[in-house]
Amino acid sequence: MDKIKVTGGTPLFGTVPIGGSKNASLPIIMASLLTDGVLEVLNIPVLADIKTLYEILKVLGVRITHIDDHTTSFNAAHISELTAPYELVKTMRASVLVLGPLLSRFGECQVALPGGCAIGPRPVNFHLAALEQMGADITIEEGYIKASVKGRLKGANITFPKISVGATENTLMAATLADGQTVINNAAMEPEITDLALCLKAMGADITGIGTSCLTVNGKDKLGGAKYSVLPDRIETATYMIAAAITGGKLTLTDTRPGDVTAVSEALRKMGVEITETDDTITVDGRDRNLVGIDIVTEPYPGFPTDVQAQIMALMLTAKGGSTITETIFENRFMHVPEMQRMNADIRFINDTSVAIAGESKLKGAPVMASDLRASAGLVLAALAAEGDTLIERVYHLDRGYEALEAKLSACGANIVRLHEDKEETKTQDTAQNGTTAL
Ligand code: EPZ
């Protein structure tokens, strides 16, 4: 398995182009299942999770045509299979998002039940309850969700007991082809939901309330094809913002949307980081190293994102004074804490959901293990600020969500190399120059 070696202590300077959002691309690509028209999607990042989704779509019979590195078209006119198999679903939980589109267009489907994962049990009960309210008959048999409906799904008034990104997306897609009106209350408001809704509208869906916590969908008999460009990745953006701050460098992030990372910018500014913005760039100047500790609580959008919790924890370790983090979204999202402690980080559990970060930790390189995608990003950031070498294992987690991470970082001066299974070091500088991905 590949490892990443980071030698810390170098301030990063330069420009980082931000790619399309992983978490918007996944549901948008799945929306292609709602139509027999062609959906052309632009600005798709090159990532392991996207490749997994292509495998699932191919099993179903979707015709996939790659137009360029980041543009692909999907034609689901000839669906031949209505089962998403466990072998693929188990590697990516978001696969459960095929459920809403397949059920609503074909009246039946089977999707392997995603198991637990490193950040918590992650049930899909809200997805299933919403589809049942729309008339679906759902059973769990032999590890599969088996869903069917007589005729069409029916519009319903759905109120989620808790905000869920995935359940909102699944229900929204299902509702576009349902008979009548669906109202989704307590809907997630993440920019990725808005992006999905705008793509569905481009395909002919009738959706109002986009960007709010109440979405109203008037079902249509049919949706058509469309051409849609995915929004920039706000979590990748936030990760590189913190990379500038933690190394005491200055980075300009391009092709991004400052308005989608407001909670992160506010937190960083409170810590003392200088941030300037244009419509589509963010410049983070971390050269003044007088950062102070802050307290954050992760929340659904527009609150501070759980997907940036591990990364800001790394930055807090380098601030003066203590910080606290309270994680309210996932039960088990502190797996990076013991790994950071191996790097000399002074972090203490207050209780199961909160940690105290002492600050001014003299981070030292160490062998560490990545447990999930964002935990891995937090470890890379800590490693960039640490003295000496950090060897990060299980970097396949990073490949799920960061396109060309080593290439982008090394182009700004980071000392980072990927060690392949055969232990041979790959200089990522070359990849950065010729623009291909390091995945
Ligand atoms: C999405 O996951 C993202 N994934 C996650 O990003 C992100 O961390 C999360 O939203 C929160 O922002 C994708 O978009 C592909 P949820 P999702 O349903 O949809 C509970 C990353 O690193 N819940 O909003 O699975 C759940 O357990 C990933 O890119 C139920 O109880 O998250 C959690 O506590 C990781 N029952 C909370 O709701 C359900 O049926 C929010 O989860 C569904 C969710």
Side-chain angles (χ1 to χ4, degrees), residues 22-24 26-27 49 92-97 117 119-129 160-169 188 190 192 233-235 299-301 305-307 327-331 333 372-375 400-402:
K22 165 180 83 85
N23 288 346
L26 293 171
D49 273 10
M92 187 182 66
R93 300 181 48 83
S95 318
V96 77
L97 294 178
C117 88
I119 61 177
R122 302 184 74 186
V124 291
N125 53 328
F126 303 157
H127 304 233
L128 305 189
F160 287 120
K162 181 177 173 183
I163 294 173
S164 162
V165 172
T168 302
E169 291 166 345
E190 270 66 5
E192 294 78 18
D233 197 307
R234 65 192 168 98
I235 308 301
E299 284 169 339
Y301 190 84
T306 175
D307 289 348
E327 169 63 51
T328 71
I329 309 293
F330 290 112
E331 288 88 337
R333 217 172 192 184
D372 73 77
L373 167 56
R374 309 305 171 184
R400 298 184 59 179
Y402 291 92

Side-chain angles (χ1 to χ4, degrees), residues 3-4 8 45 52 57 68 85 131 183 220 242 245 263 273 329 331-332 335 357 366 439:
K3 297 175 186 175
I4 281 183
T52 302
L57 294 183
D68 62 39
L131 294 171
V183 180
K220 291 277 181 86
I242 295 173
V273 180
I329 309 293
E331 288 88 337
N332 195 22
M335 301 276 278
I357 297 114
L439 301 182

Side-chain angles (χ1 to χ4, degrees), residues 58-72:
K58 278 183 203 158
V59 167
L60 301 176
V62 177
R63 218 171 294 150
I64 300 178
T65 310
H66 298 293
I67 295 163
D68 62 39
D69 280 357
H70 298 107
T71 307
T72 301

